[in-house]
Amino acid sequence: MCRSVCLLALLVVVSPTAEALDNGLALKPTMGWLHWERFMCNIDCDKDPNNCISERLYMQMADVMVKEGWKEAGYEYVCIDDCWPSHQRDAQGRLQADPKRFPGGIKKLADYVHSKGLKLGIYADVGKNTCAGYPGSLGYYETDAQTFADWNVDLLKFDGCYMDWTLVGEGYVNMSKALNKTGSSILYSCEWPLYVWQFKKPNYTAIRETCNHWRNFADVYDSWSSVKSILDWTASHQDDIVPAAGPGGWNDPDMLVIGNFGLSHAQQESQMALWAIMAAPLLMSNDLRDICPRSKELLQNKHIIAISQDPLGKQGYRTAKVDNFEVWERTLSKNRLAIAVLNQQEIGGPRGFVLRAAPGWKICNPQCNVTQILPQYKELGVQTPQTKLVVSVNPSGTTLLTVTPISSDITGHKLYWRGAAVKRKHNTSL
């Protein structure tokens, strides 16, 4: 076991290398609910009417999102994934919803979701078929884009199955153009780099100009090993992917599986904290009709969501590996910093981490105010660069904190960035 401090070279995060897709959407990471990980391709509505892919499922989720505070917390998209269409297009070549499972059609469902003050997302594929074998959009990009616009859909998740990888980029660009041509505001979620990485490094300049967010790595499963593999991949490729992220375009590490079966509560906290650090879309895949209160409280935690939605729009990244800890940091607006300390050890009890070992701690000069958000909210008070503050981190859990610098003016009065401390004698703004 490595007992020494093994600091990684700090990544210099610059402004995004290309302009974002110019559709005015996804200026902050998208928040909502997506069916796939929890409900997959369950189309047996005779045997399982409550959990099959049907208009009923999405209407019920929309109802719960309004009733149970999800909309108020910021979750606004109700997203359909694969397995919604008929296996055949209509006489005009348009996609059509399965008539038994979506008797009102997608337009009616969109109207219902909109009546709740929410937005509807839908799924299609750049190739000849979707991953589950339903009709793909190859050869129908403009037709399908206009169909989605006619249905008043608000988001398109565009997969990449059944397509030659050398043509994937062209297909994603063509659908982006087709969506923009409709004049409708449709957020565009791509999987372009996912289907290219196994062959070569993707062109993130082109991807950012084309998509509002993009999947890079494998599907998330309801397991800690899956979440860890996504974090490991992200950290090992952060020099390539972090500079591409920013308002209008985000790296998507896939769905939040919090509230399901596979993660302990500490592991759920780790996924939530690190998805916020990564400025990732927060798209839950769970059953909001039956979710444990503790998971619900975590997903609706306003302090974590504030980090996710920080207006500066900089993606965080792994900055250090220290004695079986990982440190992830994200620069926030108003010169603040979010620090997530992940305990990689999966045996024993909570372990202590000396906070000044975090590379970003240098912003605490001459002083800073520290707030712990996870695992419990706690004001840790004013600290200095030489702090001896030790935070406790549960096995496979994460302690999440925010650090707010305190500066001194020329008269020696302390200034808190958020105005929480001693006021200046002179009536000037910070």
Side-chain angles (χ1 to χ4, degrees):
M1 182 183 300
C2 173
R3 291 292 178 185
S4 62
V5 176
C6 309
L7 295 184
L8 302 178
L10 285 181
L11 176 70
V12 178
V13 180
V14 297
S15 298
T17 56
E19 294 298 319
L21 173 60
D22 187 19
N23 61 6
L25 302 173
L27 299 181
K28 296 179 180 180
T30 306
M31 296 178 62
W33 179 91
L34 177 64
H35 96 242
W36 183 255
E37 192 285 323
R38 178 60 184 263
F39 296 93
M40 301 187 70
C41 197
N42 179 358
I43 58 173
D44 192 344
C45 292
D46 292 328
K47 291 184 178 179
D48 195 7
N50 291 324
N51 300 299
C52 66
I53 306 310
S54 66
E55 65 180 30
R56 177 183 178 183
L57 178 68
Y58 305 102
M59 289 178 175
Q60 288 182 348
M61 291 301 168
D63 291 343
V64 173
M65 285 174 72
V66 174
K67 182 179 178 182
E68 299 294 333
W70 299 100
K71 174 187 170 186
E72 185 178 358
Y75 296 93
E76 61 175 341
Y77 286 88
V78 180
C79 297
I80 306 168
D81 209 282
D82 205 347
C83 305
W84 65 269
S86 296
H87 281 285
Q88 303 296 326
R89 292 175 176 267
D90 69 12
Q92 287 75 42
R94 295 173 301 202
L95 291 170
Q96 52 186 341
D98 182 281
K100 181 178 180 181
R101 294 183 285 117
F102 294 84
I106 301 300
K107 176 64 166 62
K108 177 186 174 184
L109 178 56
D111 290 344
Y112 185 86
V113 170
H114 292 158
S115 75
K116 301 292 180 178
L118 300 168
K119 298 176 181 178
L120 183 70
I122 205 163
Y123 170 99
D125 193 284
V126 72
K128 63 184 178 67
N129 296 111
T130 72
C131 297
Y134 291 84
S137 293
L138 182 62
Y140 293 91
Y141 295 140
E142 290 197 1
T143 299
D144 290 354
Q146 190 58 55
T147 298
F148 300 145
D150 292 343
W151 289 343
N152 291 332
V153 166
D154 304 288
L155 178 152
L156 171 62
K157 176 182 176 180
F158 210 43
D159 214 333
C161 285
Y162 297 99
M163 184 71 159
D164 185 323
W165 78 270
T166 63
L167 302 176
V168 162
E170 179 184 351
Y172 277 105
V173 170
N174 287 338
M175 178 53 93
S176 184
K177 292 177 179 176
L179 290 171
N180 285 343
K181 186 178 177 181
T182 68
S184 297
S185 294
I186 301 177
L187 193 153
Y188 189 33
S189 176
C190 300
E191 308 217 349
W192 179 351
L194 169 63
Y195 289 91
V196 174
W197 261 115
Q198 60 184 309
F199 303 103
K200 68 174 187 177
K201 176 183 171 180
N203 181 350
Y204 279 95
T205 298
I207 291 167
R208 180 171 170 81
E209 291 171 344
T210 303
C211 310
N212 291 120
H213 35 86
W214 47 86
R215 285 276 309 286
N216 293 301
F217 187 59
D219 289 0
V220 68
Y221 279 61
D222 188 11
S223 72
W224 180 234
S225 62
S226 174
V227 172
K228 281 196 301 181
S229 72
I230 292 170
L231 293 171
D232 289 343
W233 187 95
T234 300
S236 64
H237 293 81
Q238 61 189 19
D239 288 355
D240 295 317
I241 69 173
V242 169
W250 310 97
N251 291 294
D252 181 3
D254 211 8
M255 295 160 277
L256 294 168
V257 294
I258 296 165
N260 291 321
F261 310 99
L263 303 185
S264 70
H265 189 71
Q267 292 161 357
Q268 292 182 52
E269 290 180 337
S270 290
Q271 191 188 25
M272 188 70 180
L274 290 164
W275 261 236
I277 290 285
M278 292 188 290
L282 301 183
L283 293 171
M284 307 175 289
S285 192
N286 49 23
D287 191 345
L288 298 177
R289 302 166 301 184
D290 182 22
I291 186 169
C292 80
R294 202 174 177 192
S295 296
K296 177 183 176 183
E297 182 181 8
L298 174 62
L299 285 161
Q300 293 188 5
N301 185 304
K302 64 181 181 181
H303 304 291
I304 306 173
I305 291 173
I307 293 173
S308 162
Q309 302 292 292
D310 185 76
L312 187 61
K314 281 189 174 293
Q315 178 173 337
Y317 49 93
R318 190 176 70 187
T319 57
K321 297 183 75 173
V322 183
D323 189 24
N324 266 354
F325 291 104
E326 286 189 358
V327 180
W328 292 65
E329 298 177 332
R330 179 178 178 186
T331 301
L332 303 176
S333 57
K334 300 181 181 177
N335 200 32
R336 295 171 300 130
L337 183 72
I339 301 176
V341 182
L342 168 65
N343 181 0
Q344 292 184 295
Q345 198 159 287
E346 298 177 24
I347 190 170
R351 295 194 302 139
F353 178 83
V354 180
L355 202 51
R356 68 172 180 268
W361 190 252
K362 61 182 178 291
I363 75 163
C364 188
N365 188 9
Q367 290 183 318
C368 59
N369 195 66
V370 180
T371 301
Q372 177 179 295
I373 295 170
L374 288 175
Q376 297 91 25
Y377 184 89
K378 202 183 297 183
E379 290 291 349
L380 300 180
V382 176
Q383 306 294 329
T384 69
Q386 293 75 38
T387 185
K388 297 181 179 179
L389 181 64
V390 175
V391 294
S392 179
V393 194
N394 294 325
S396 65
T398 295
T399 295
L400 179 65
L401 311 109
T402 57
V403 181
T404 303
I406 305 170
S407 60
S408 299
D409 69 4
I410 58 174
T411 64
H413 293 281
K414 301 299 183 184
L415 302 180
Y416 284 62
W417 274 102
R418 288 181 287 187
V422 180
K423 296 180 179 179
R424 294 180 67 173
K425 288 183 177 180
H426 306 291
N427 189 21
T428 56
S429 60
L430 293 178

